[in-house]
Amino acid sequence: MELFLTENQTDDMRLSVRTTRVLHHEQTAYQELVIVETPQWGRLMALDGFFQTCDRDEFVYHEMGAHVPLLTHPDPKRVLIVGGGDGGMAREVARHPGVEHVDLVEIDGRVIECCKTYFPQIAVALSGNPKVHVHVADGIQWVREHEAEYDVVIIDSSEPIGPGEGLFTADFYASVYRCLTGDGILVAQTESPWVNADVIRRAYRGIRQSFPITRLYTCAVPTYPTGLWSFTLGSKKYDPLEADPEARIAALGRLRYYTPDIHFAAFQLPGFVAEIVAEAEEEGR
Ligand code: SAM
């Protein structure tokens, strides 16, 4: 019998991946967690039916989520990751020699434990790395309780449902602004321009209400809805289009997606995506 794991990307669109084994399946205190073995994408984790990470393409999302803000800020030392329980974002952040302290705040401890077991390459920085401090807590509360402490904050959240819903609001982005230092940078994953334009407009508008520099960038993640994914960056001072990633990239070792050219190209938006941003800017006036 053929086994496929299917993600309902929209009511009218699904993505199914052939699955050879269900490695883990549980209902945690927050969400349904499934980890499967697939012949084409390696191991893959889904939360509440949404694909979160898989061995074969996770580097795209994690490299673009980490290196764009960290090579835009001239000297980031303290970084906060909200969500990111699979550990991939922490792995990329910890590559930066100048980064001294990383707090990873994940609401669901079961995600961390399962990823350590089933995705050791992705979760490598979650145990034994002196820079990385893992906390099982709600990121919304954590951000409220920390003032002017971080140079970079990365929101590596799941979808805007359940525990992740509050991570896409203007109030949350305003509290992130307060927990950043005077020249801090925020990056948030903001879903797909093809099927989540409403999420992008809301998040972009919310970030722009607090941050003088707000920009959207994209990357290609095959197992995410439509394969085209977005991040929204909010910055108090440094513009990613004026960054000099070439100067510091050598220290990061081998990268498989992010390059200095990709850094700038990612902000060059196709017309229909630029229109979504323009609508958000218009609505926010
Ligand atoms: N890259 C994935 C994506 O874009 O869909 C996200 C991966 S990461 C596993 C997402 C994590 O965010 C989940 O483990 C989820 O438990 C966590 N999360 C959701 N809401 C949260 C909150 N309020 N505070 C902290 N972590 C949260």
Side-chain angles (χ1 to χ4, degrees), residues 7 28 30-31 33 45 47 50-53 61-62 81-87 89 105-109 111-112 115 135-141 155-159 161-167 172 189-191 224-225 229 231:
E7 175 185 73
T28 77
Y30 296 94
Q31 50 213 340
L33 189 163
M45 175 175 71
L47 293 173
F50 291 99
F51 296 174
Q52 298 292 311
T53 198
Y61 172 88
H62 292 131
I81 300 168
V82 172
D86 53 64
M89 203 64 80
V105 178
E106 162 62 60
I107 200 167
D108 192 338
V111 171
I112 297 171
C115 289
H135 313 272
V136 177
D138 185 345
I140 297 168
Q141 193 58 28
I155 312 301
D156 178 9
S157 73
S158 37
E159 279 45 51
I161 56 168
E165 193 169 357
L167 302 175
F172 174 68
Q189 76 89 359
T190 46
E191 310 269 318
Y224 282 179
W229 209 242
F231 290 94

Side-chain angles (χ1 to χ4, degrees), residues 51-221:
F51 296 174
Q52 298 292 311
T53 198
C54 76
D55 287 327
R56 187 155 169 227
D57 68 6
E58 56 84 13
F59 63 91
V60 179
Y61 172 88
H62 292 131
E63 289 184 14
M64 293 303 281
H67 306 317
V68 170
L70 288 170
L71 292 175
T72 293
H73 191 288
D75 186 23
K77 291 192 174 359
R78 293 182 67 84
V79 178
L80 170 64
I81 300 168
V82 172
D86 53 64
M89 203 64 80
R91 180 196 63 205
E92 295 306 313
V93 170
R95 285 173 179 255
H96 290 254
V99 170
E100 297 167 353
H101 183 104
V102 183
D103 283 319
L104 183 139
V105 178
E106 162 62 60
I107 200 167
D108 192 338
R110 292 301 299 148
V111 171
I112 297 171
E113 292 319 309
C114 290
C115 289
K116 282 182 180 173
T117 304
Y118 295 104
F119 298 96
Q121 287 89 17
I122 302 179
V124 63
L126 297 186
S127 28
N129 186 316
K131 289 186 181 182
V132 179
H133 307 265
V134 178
H135 313 272
V136 177
D138 185 345
I140 297 168
Q141 193 58 28
W142 183 278
V143 163
R144 277 203 206 108
E145 293 164 358
H146 291 75
E147 188 108 4
E149 196 171 323
Y150 298 101
D151 302 305
V152 170
V153 173
I154 302 171
I155 312 301
D156 178 9
S157 73
S158 37
E159 279 45 51
I161 56 168
E165 193 169 357
L167 302 175
F168 291 80
T169 65
D171 285 354
F172 174 68
Y173 298 132
S175 58
V176 171
Y177 184 95
R178 289 188 293 276
C179 100
L180 283 163
T181 52
D183 60 357
I185 297 176
L186 154 72
V187 157
Q189 76 89 359
T190 46
E191 310 269 318
S192 165
W194 283 110
V195 293
N196 308 113
D198 56 330
V199 174
I200 292 179
R201 274 193 291 272
R202 181 157 43 92
Y204 188 96
R205 218 174 36 244
I207 293 172
R208 196 161 173 266
Q209 276 172 26
S210 295
F211 291 85
I213 299 168
T214 301
R215 295 193 184 283
L216 186 107
Y217 63 98
T218 64
C219 60
V221 185

